[in-house]
Amino acid sequence: MKILVTGGAGYIASHTNLELLNAGYEVVAIDNLSNSCKESIRRVEKITGKEISFYENDIRDKEALINIFNKENIDGVIHFAGLKAVGESCRIPLEYYNNNISGTINLLEVMDRFDVKNLVFSSSATVYGDPKTVPITEDFPLSVTNPYGRTKLMIEDILRDLYSADPEWNIAILRYFNPIGAHESGEIGEDPNGIPNNLLPYIAKVASGILDKINIFGGDYDTHDGTGVRDFIHVVDLSLGHIKAIEKLGDKPGLVTYNLGTGQGHSVMDIINNYEKACNKKLPYVITDRRPGDIAVSFADPSKAYNELGWKAKRGIEEMCRDSYNWQSKNPNGYR
Ligand code: NAD
Ligand code: UDP
């Protein structure tokens, strides 16, 4: 089977490409390299000894997509491509709507035209807004507080409308919690542009001396140590969830939605403590104001994915921190 991976050079996509190739799938990747490097594709080829058919194109370029669907015999699509920084989405919302929404519609139109109706979509736990309780199940009410989150929820709505109009589509909406870590080889990992927004890449840069100290956004949340709690999930476990989702589409399930998380909440402080063990040094930090828009606690109930996909996250936070640091120390400047 041949899978088109959009945003195929990105962080989660590169790990998923690796697992797809290991599982015997052929991979076609499209990426405009706005937040990634082609080197990630080369490294996955190196680890697996298999080739990826790579197209440096934008998913908003319809001719480019048509060319790919004409050339390659695509059976299904995993759609990662999109912009993902919450703060940036508040500053340049039109760019986010254009890229994420228009890009997705373009992709869906071309898939429809070529009668390729198997799709896995990267959604996010952000669509649950500030949940009233935890753990979060898939039937919780949906709400969002920023343009990035709104693009995810809008795309989910578009997919639900598409499926009601044409039940031949098979769509798996995957709501990721907080993916971190890297492949154990240390060859691929997260490589954000500039100063990282997310916790783990920030800690990694402090651990390698590139940044001075960690800023903990809020120490007065109603949590076991006052810092925010999230469901951190190893990116390799998350990637394996995509393989299970692709397999599931083979059963023609219609539209299905799954949380991909571990079901465990860990605080920012828990992560720092574990990272210190992984890198064997003290990591300087200061507690600062809460970050606007952040919630206190978020973690998944991942049992639906276990019951219906047979998928469960296996790697703990020790491995997540170890693998993050391994990637960071082998690649202090990322892929560049
Ligand atoms: P990433 O930025 O590493 O990957 C996204 C890739 O898409 C990048 O390589 C980028 O160059 C590419 N891209 C962006 N716009 C494009 C376009 N118009 N055409 C072609 N390529 C384009 O991010 P990631 O962390 O790997 O995230 C992948 C997906 O998962 C995204 O949709 C993101 O919103 C979603 N997600 C990520 C997280 C997370 O914490 N990392 C959490 C929930 C959901
Ligand atoms: N966080 C932090 N300092 C940072 C980045 C993040 O304290 O430099 C906290 C943030 O407030 C949240 C958790 O770490 O409680 C995870 O944030 P991240 O941005 O990684 O993911 P999010 O949950 O916002 O998607």
Side-chain angles (χ1 to χ4, degrees), residues 219-229 290 296-297:
D220 57 354
Y221 284 110
D222 184 14
T223 61
H224 65 273
D225 58 19
T227 66
V229 165
R290 292 180 179 191
V297 180

Side-chain angles (χ1 to χ4, degrees), residues 126-137:
T126 194
V127 300
Y128 295 117
D130 191 355
K132 285 212 170 67
T133 56
V134 281
I136 300 168
T137 53

